[in-house]
Amino acid sequence: MSTRQSLFGIELDPLTMDETVRRCLAAVRDGQRLEIGVVNAAKLVNMRRDRRLAEAVTGCDLVLADGQAVVWASRILRAPLPERVAGIDLFLRLLAEAESAGVSVYFLGARHEVLQEMLRRVAVRFPGLKVAGSRHGYFEDAEQEAIADAIAASGAQMLFLGMTSPKKEIFTAAHGARSGVRLVHGVGGSFDILAGVTKRAPQSWQRWGLEWLYRALQEPRRLGRRYLTTNASFLIMTARELIRLTPSAAPANRSH
C-alpha cells in the first residue's frame, strides 16, 4: 500500500497507471469493492464549494489525479504524484483487461443515442467483452435505487458511469454498494468520446495540460467561462497553499 499524498487537504493515491490497473484487477479477482474517484483542477475547486461532492470523492477507495495541472501542483507543493492517471485512459485499459479476463461490465450514462453508438464501437474494438447491461444517464433521483438493483441483477463486476460531476460521485457514494459490482469508475464524458460525439485533445495538448482548452474550443458557450473561472481559482488555490507551506523568513536581527 502506497502512502497517500495530501493536496489541498485531499488525500490522493500516488499511483501510476499500471499500478492502478493492477489494484483494480486485484479487487475484482479477490471479491473486494473498489470505488475510484478522480480529480482535476476544476473538481478540486468545486469540492471546496460543494460539500456533497467533496464527501463523495474523498469517500472513494482510490483518489487519482485525472488532470495534468494536479500533478504539476503536487510537485510544486512537495506532495509529488508520479503521473496523471486520466479517467478515459484507465477506462480503456480496464475494458481491455475485462475482455481478456472474461469480466462483465455495465455502462450507465450519456444520452440514449450516444450510449448506443458507444456500445456499437466498443463491440468492434473489444469483440470479446462481456457487456452485462447498459442504461442512459438521464433519470430522476427517485429512480436511483431501482437502477442500482438492475445493475446488481445483471451480475456485472465493473460499473462505468458516463455522467458529469457531482452526479456520478453522489450516485457512487449512495448506491455503489447496492449495485453489487466489484469496481466502480466514474468516467465523465468518456462515453461521448468513444461514441465520436466529441474529440479528445491530441497527445501534445495533453502533455502540456491543455486538454481543458481543447474541450472548451469545441463547446465554447458551455465550457469556456467555466474552465477559465475554475482554472483561475485553481492557480490562486495553489499560490495560497505554496505561501502557507513556505516557512516565513527569519526575523531581521534588530540588535545594534
Side-chain angles (χ1 to χ4, degrees):
M1 287 284 288
S2 54
T3 304
R4 283 184 151 184
Q5 295 283 35
S6 181
L7 193 66
F8 306 112
I10 307 298
E11 300 293 310
L12 275 74
D13 293 278
L15 299 176
T16 64
M17 176 66 76
D18 289 343
E19 289 168 341
T20 303
V21 170
R22 285 197 292 271
R23 286 280 293 276
C24 292
L25 295 176
V28 174
R29 183 185 65 241
D30 299 340
Q32 299 171 343
R33 285 195 63 253
L34 190 68
E35 294 180 3
I36 298 174
V38 297
V39 294
N40 54 23
K43 193 180 290 184
L44 284 170
V45 169
N46 290 330
M47 284 168 68
R48 293 202 160 184
R49 304 167 180 167
D50 186 334
R51 184 179 58 81
R52 285 185 74 195
L53 174 61
E55 289 175 353
V57 172
T58 55
C60 290
D61 302 295
L62 287 183
V63 183
L64 306 165
D66 177 59
Q68 188 60 46
V70 177
V71 176
W72 289 337
S74 76
R75 293 169 184 172
I76 291 168
L77 299 174
R78 299 187 289 280
L81 300 167
E83 66 182 23
R84 178 189 184 203
V85 181
I88 186 169
D89 294 331
L90 179 58
F91 179 29
L92 291 170
R93 283 284 301 272
L94 291 174
L95 289 181
E97 295 288 352
E99 179 188 31
S100 61
V103 171
S104 58
V105 305
Y106 194 104
F107 300 110
L108 174 62
R111 301 191 311 274
H112 175 76
E113 59 274 21
V114 172
L115 177 63
Q116 294 308 307
E117 178 60 18
M118 187 204 73
L119 289 170
R120 188 188 69 77
R121 294 188 180 204
V122 163
V124 172
R125 189 166 181 175
F126 305 102
L129 182 67
K130 290 173 152 182
V131 179
S134 63
R135 191 196 190 283
H136 67 78
Y138 289 82
F139 49 83
E140 301 297 325
D141 288 350
E143 299 177 83
Q144 291 190 19
E145 286 191 2
I147 291 169
D149 289 341
I151 294 166
S154 77
Q157 295 161 285
M158 292 184 179
L159 170 62
F160 298 104
L161 300 174
M163 302 187 294
T164 56
S165 294
K167 190 172 183 178
K168 66 177 183 288
E169 287 85 5
I170 291 170
F171 180 87
T172 298
H175 305 292
R178 190 183 184 108
S179 68
V181 297
R182 297 301 176 202
L183 177 77
V184 184
H185 178 23
V187 299
S190 298
F191 287 12
D192 285 9
I193 293 172
L194 263 61
V197 174
T198 56
K199 290 183 179 179
R200 193 177 181 197
Q203 286 288 338
S204 57
W205 290 59
Q206 293 178 44
R207 280 195 300 274
W208 286 100
L210 294 173
E211 200 159 4
W212 65 271
L213 178 58
Y214 192 87
R215 284 196 64 201
L217 290 171
Q218 289 185 77
E219 297 183 78
R221 281 172 170 266
R222 189 173 75 89
L223 298 176
R225 176 185 284 271
R226 185 196 307 178
Y227 277 133
L228 288 174
T229 303
T230 53
N231 285 356
S233 297
F234 184 73
L235 285 173
I236 293 168
M237 273 173 57
T238 304
R240 284 177 174 164
E241 190 71 2
L242 183 59
I243 291 167
R244 189 183 71 81
L245 294 172
T246 302
S248 57
N253 189 343
R254 293 172 180 264
S255 60
H256 294 286

